[in-house]
Amino acid sequence: MGQSHIPPVWRWVGERGLRIVTGEATLAYYAALISQGLPEIEDLVPADGSLLLILRRGTGVSAELRAALTALPVGEPMKQGALHEIAVEYGGSAGPDLPGLAEQAGMDAATYINRHAAVDYSVAFLGFQPGFPYLQGLPRPLHARRRASPRVRVAAGSVAIGGTYTGIYPASGPGGWHIIGRTTTALFDPQREAPALLMAGDRVRFVPI
C-alpha cells in the first residue's frame, strides 16, 4: 500500500489567482507544476509557505490541474538552479549592523562573516521589491529578528538578515532588516531580457571582498 498524500489547501485570490498552501515544499510544487506545462497556468509566484497560481483568462481549475495538486509528492526535491557568486563588502559603512549581530551571536566580526559566506543559499522566492531574493540556508546562530525601527533608506545592493532569511536589496528604499554588507551586483534591471538576476531555485554564494 503506497504512502498517503494530503493535498494542499487552496483558495481563490481574486478572479484568476489560486493560492496554494505548500509549507516547506513550495519549491517542489513550483518545479513540478512548471515541468507539467499545464495550459491554464499563466504564471506561478512562490512565496513564504505558499504558491500563487495565476490562471489564464477564461480558464478554470481543470481536472488535470486538480489531479496535479492532489498527486504532488510533498518531499519531491527541486532541481538545483544556477549558481551565482556575489561579491560582498562586509561591515563598515556597507554593513553597519554587523558588529551588533556578531556580538549577539557570540562571535567576532570575522567569524560572523565567515559563517555567513560559508553557505550556499537557495532562492526561496522573490518579493518586497522587484528582484528581492529571500535566501534560505542561513545558519541558525545568525538568525535575528527584524529591526524594531526600520530604516527610512537602505542603499541598493545591501546584504541583510531578517529572521531566518538573508537577502539583498535590489534598490534603495526603506527596510527593516539588519544590514551586514553591500554588493555592486545589479539584482534587477528592467532592460534585461530577464529583469531579475535571481529566480526561485537558484543558488547564491557570497564572496567576501
Side-chain angles (χ1 to χ4, degrees), residues 68-115:
L69 292 176
T70 302
L72 283 175
V74 172
E76 180 178 322
M78 180 174 182
K79 293 182 180 179
Q80 289 187 329
L83 173 63
H84 304 262
E85 291 194 345
I86 295 181
V88 178
E89 177 187 356
Y90 284 95
S93 60
D97 295 326
L98 190 144
L101 289 185
E103 181 178 0
Q104 176 182 308
M107 308 174 187
D108 58 31
T111 301
Y112 189 96
I113 292 169
N114 288 337
R115 290 293 300 274

XYZ file of all heavy atoms in Angstrom, residues 68-115:
339
model
N -2.983 17.186 -10.470
C -1.584 17.502 -10.207
C -1.385 17.978 -8.777
O -0.438 17.579 -8.093
C -1.092 18.570 -11.187
N -2.299 18.823 -8.302
C -2.188 19.328 -6.939
C -2.402 18.220 -5.920
O -1.805 18.218 -4.845
C -3.204 20.454 -6.715
C -2.951 21.749 -7.490
C -4.086 22.733 -7.257
C -1.624 22.360 -7.088
N -3.246 17.271 -6.256
C -3.529 16.164 -5.340
C -2.387 15.162 -5.297
O -2.070 14.604 -4.251
C -4.828 15.447 -5.770
O -5.900 16.388 -5.780
C -5.166 14.310 -4.826
N -1.732 14.965 -6.450
C -0.748 13.885 -6.563
C 0.675 14.312 -6.240
O 1.546 13.465 -6.072
C -0.793 13.313 -7.976
N 0.941 15.617 -6.147
C 2.316 16.062 -5.968
C 2.913 15.526 -4.670
O 2.332 15.693 -3.607
C 2.385 17.588 -5.941
C 2.276 18.277 -7.295
C 2.242 19.780 -7.110
C 3.423 17.885 -8.190
N 4.080 14.883 -4.750
C 4.745 14.411 -3.529
C 5.353 15.588 -2.781
O 6.137 16.349 -3.327
C 5.828 13.459 -4.051
C 6.104 13.915 -5.442
C 4.824 14.486 -5.969
N 5.007 15.736 -1.520
C 5.470 16.871 -0.719
C 6.975 16.929 -0.647
O 7.578 17.992 -0.682
C 4.865 16.801 0.702
C 5.478 17.851 1.610
C 3.361 16.993 0.643
N 7.615 15.784 -0.562
C 9.062 15.783 -0.374
C 9.865 15.811 -1.657
O 11.074 15.667 -1.623
N 9.233 15.974 -2.788
C 9.955 15.933 -4.065
C 10.957 17.077 -4.141
O 10.608 18.248 -3.997
C 8.967 16.052 -5.224
C 9.641 16.011 -6.593
C 8.621 16.094 -7.720
O 7.545 15.503 -7.580
O 8.921 16.749 -8.731
N 12.264 16.781 -4.351
C 13.258 17.850 -4.388
C 13.191 18.616 -5.700
O 12.827 18.092 -6.740
C 14.586 17.086 -4.276
C 14.299 15.750 -4.888
C 12.864 15.440 -4.536
N 13.565 19.887 -5.623
C 13.612 20.714 -6.821
C 15.015 20.649 -7.410
O 16.007 20.630 -6.678
C 13.276 22.161 -6.463
C 13.293 23.101 -7.663
S 12.724 24.752 -7.217
C 12.812 25.577 -8.808
N 15.102 20.574 -8.718
C 16.407 20.581 -9.368
C 17.106 21.898 -9.049
O 16.500 22.951 -9.015
C 16.251 20.421 -10.884
C 15.732 19.067 -11.315
C 15.641 18.971 -12.827
C 15.123 17.602 -13.258
N 15.007 17.499 -14.731
N 18.417 21.798 -8.818
C 19.174 22.990 -8.468
C 19.225 23.961 -9.641
O 19.447 23.565 -10.786
C 20.586 22.610 -8.039
C 20.649 21.912 -6.680
C 22.068 21.716 -6.213
O 22.981 21.556 -7.007
N 22.264 21.728 -4.910
N 19.024 25.236 -9.333
C 19.109 26.264 -10.357
C 20.535 26.732 -10.534
O 21.485 26.120 -10.035
N 20.684 27.849 -11.220
C 22.008 28.401 -11.492
C 22.680 28.848 -10.202
O 22.018 29.273 -9.250
C 21.876 29.579 -12.455
N 24.001 28.752 -10.161
C 24.784 29.222 -9.021
C 25.338 30.610 -9.350
O 25.989 30.808 -10.375
C 25.926 28.264 -8.722
C 26.919 28.721 -7.648
C 26.238 28.868 -6.301
C 28.103 27.751 -7.562
N 25.067 31.567 -8.459
C 25.549 32.939 -8.634
C 26.526 33.263 -7.506
O 26.167 33.172 -6.332
C 24.390 33.936 -8.583
C 23.306 33.667 -9.585
N 23.226 34.320 -10.798
C 22.248 32.817 -9.548
C 22.171 33.891 -11.455
N 21.561 32.975 -10.726
N 27.746 33.630 -7.847
C 28.705 34.092 -6.856
C 28.606 35.615 -6.783
O 28.749 36.304 -7.802
C 30.113 33.650 -7.206
C 30.316 32.147 -7.078
C 31.776 31.752 -7.103
O 32.628 32.597 -7.505
O 32.091 30.606 -6.717
N 28.328 36.123 -5.590
C 28.093 37.554 -5.412
C 29.119 38.116 -4.442
O 29.182 37.697 -3.274
C 26.654 37.808 -4.910
C 25.666 37.371 -5.995
C 26.456 39.275 -4.537
C 24.209 37.584 -5.639
N 29.946 39.036 -4.931
C 30.980 39.662 -4.106
C 30.338 40.652 -3.142
O 29.470 41.440 -3.534
C 31.999 40.362 -4.996
N 30.759 40.607 -1.884
C 30.166 41.448 -0.845
C 31.252 42.138 -0.030
O 32.223 41.504 0.393
C 29.290 40.604 0.114
C 28.716 41.480 1.226
C 28.170 39.915 -0.637
N 31.071 43.426 0.185
C 31.890 44.171 1.145
C 31.156 44.108 2.479
O 30.077 44.690 2.632
C 32.059 45.621 0.702
C 32.851 46.463 1.691
C 32.882 47.934 1.339
O 32.347 48.300 0.266
O 33.418 48.719 2.138
N 31.714 43.390 3.419
C 31.073 43.216 4.722
C 31.528 44.295 5.706
O 32.668 44.745 5.679
C 31.430 41.854 5.319
C 30.702 40.674 4.721
C 31.273 39.928 3.696
C 29.454 40.273 5.199
C 30.622 38.813 3.168
C 28.789 39.167 4.674
C 29.383 38.445 3.656
O 28.738 37.348 3.139
N 30.608 44.692 6.605
C 30.944 45.575 7.705
C 31.199 47.015 7.288
O 30.937 47.420 6.150
N 31.703 47.801 8.234
C 31.976 49.210 7.976
C 30.706 49.958 7.609
O 29.604 49.614 8.045
N 30.857 50.967 6.767
C 29.687 51.736 6.345
C 28.758 50.908 5.466
O 27.568 51.207 5.350
C 30.132 52.990 5.584
O 30.886 52.641 4.430
N 29.299 49.850 4.844
C 28.473 48.991 3.990
C 27.607 48.043 4.810
O 26.559 47.601 4.338
C 29.356 48.189 3.039
N 28.034 47.743 6.041
C 27.292 46.797 6.887
C 27.248 47.255 8.329
O 27.867 46.637 9.203
N 26.509 48.320 8.614
C 26.534 48.918 9.959
C 26.000 48.021 11.073
O 26.330 48.227 12.239
C 25.660 50.163 9.802
C 24.771 49.876 8.625
C 25.609 49.054 7.698
N 25.186 47.028 10.740
C 24.603 46.177 11.790
C 25.446 44.942 12.088
O 25.117 44.175 13.004
C 23.187 45.739 11.391
C 22.224 46.909 11.297
O 22.372 47.854 12.086
O 21.335 46.879 10.420
N 26.519 44.745 11.339
C 27.299 43.523 11.520
C 27.905 43.405 12.918
O 27.815 42.333 13.539
C 28.383 43.420 10.446
C 29.113 42.072 10.385
C 29.448 41.700 8.961
C 30.397 42.105 11.218
N 28.522 44.442 13.487
C 29.108 44.283 14.826
C 28.089 43.851 15.875
O 28.363 42.973 16.707
C 29.676 45.671 15.130
C 29.933 46.282 13.787
C 28.813 45.781 12.926
N 26.903 44.454 15.846
C 25.879 44.103 16.821
C 25.385 42.691 16.662
O 25.164 41.972 17.644
N 25.209 42.251 15.408
C 24.751 40.877 15.168
C 25.818 39.869 15.570
O 25.502 38.798 16.101
C 24.381 40.692 13.695
C 23.113 41.384 13.201
C 22.830 40.987 11.751
C 21.907 41.046 14.071
N 27.083 40.194 15.303
C 28.169 39.293 15.690
C 28.211 39.133 17.207
O 28.345 38.014 17.725
C 29.502 39.825 15.171
N 28.072 40.243 17.912
C 28.067 40.176 19.379
C 26.886 39.349 19.875
O 27.007 38.527 20.788
C 28.003 41.586 19.955
C 28.027 41.624 21.478
C 28.000 43.036 22.033
O 27.955 43.995 21.228
O 28.012 43.176 23.267
N 25.725 39.558 19.264
C 24.530 38.806 19.645
C 24.725 37.314 19.435
O 24.217 36.485 20.205
C 23.347 39.310 18.814
C 22.042 38.546 19.023
C 20.934 39.084 18.129
O 20.667 40.282 18.104
N 20.302 38.204 17.380
N 25.456 36.954 18.383
C 25.697 35.541 18.056
C 26.883 34.964 18.826
O 27.186 33.775 18.685
C 25.931 35.389 16.557
N 27.567 35.793 19.648
C 28.715 35.323 20.414
C 29.943 35.089 19.564
O 30.755 34.206 19.853
N 30.125 35.910 18.519
C 31.255 35.759 17.604
C 31.939 37.100 17.417
O 31.366 38.155 17.687
C 30.778 35.282 16.218
C 29.908 34.070 16.201
S 29.282 33.743 14.519
C 28.139 32.397 14.864
N 33.180 37.054 16.923
C 33.772 38.296 16.453
C 33.314 38.520 15.013
O 32.724 37.634 14.381
C 35.302 38.289 16.566
C 35.965 37.148 15.801
O 35.432 36.720 14.757
O 37.030 36.675 16.233
N 33.565 39.706 14.484
C 33.054 40.056 13.157
C 33.593 39.129 12.071
O 32.858 38.722 11.169
C 33.392 41.504 12.828
N 34.886 38.784 12.162
C 35.487 37.933 11.131
C 34.830 36.552 11.105
O 34.559 35.992 10.032
C 36.984 37.805 11.372
N 34.567 35.997 12.284
C 33.923 34.684 12.345
C 32.508 34.751 11.788
O 32.060 33.852 11.058
C 33.887 34.179 13.796
O 35.218 34.100 14.303
C 33.225 32.805 13.882
N 31.808 35.830 12.120
C 30.438 36.005 11.626
C 30.424 36.054 10.091
O 29.614 35.397 9.451
C 29.851 37.294 12.195
C 28.370 37.465 11.934
C 27.436 37.097 12.893
C 27.908 37.985 10.728
C 26.073 37.245 12.662
C 26.555 38.132 10.482
C 25.646 37.762 11.452
O 24.295 37.911 11.206
N 31.337 36.820 9.532
C 31.422 36.931 8.064
C 31.699 35.566 7.450
O 31.074 35.160 6.457
C 32.508 37.942 7.665
C 32.088 39.362 8.069
C 32.788 37.872 6.162
C 33.198 40.378 7.966
N 32.647 34.832 8.046
C 32.992 33.512 7.513
C 31.800 32.563 7.557
O 31.568 31.795 6.615
C 34.165 32.919 8.295
C 35.476 33.624 7.996
O 35.625 34.248 6.950
N 36.430 33.534 8.925
N 31.028 32.613 8.643
C 29.853 31.748 8.749
C 28.813 32.117 7.693
O 28.189 31.252 7.085
C 29.232 31.854 10.152
C 30.044 31.239 11.265
C 30.144 29.718 11.150
N 28.854 29.041 11.189
C 28.226 28.671 12.297
N 28.764 28.923 13.484
N 27.065 28.039 12.240
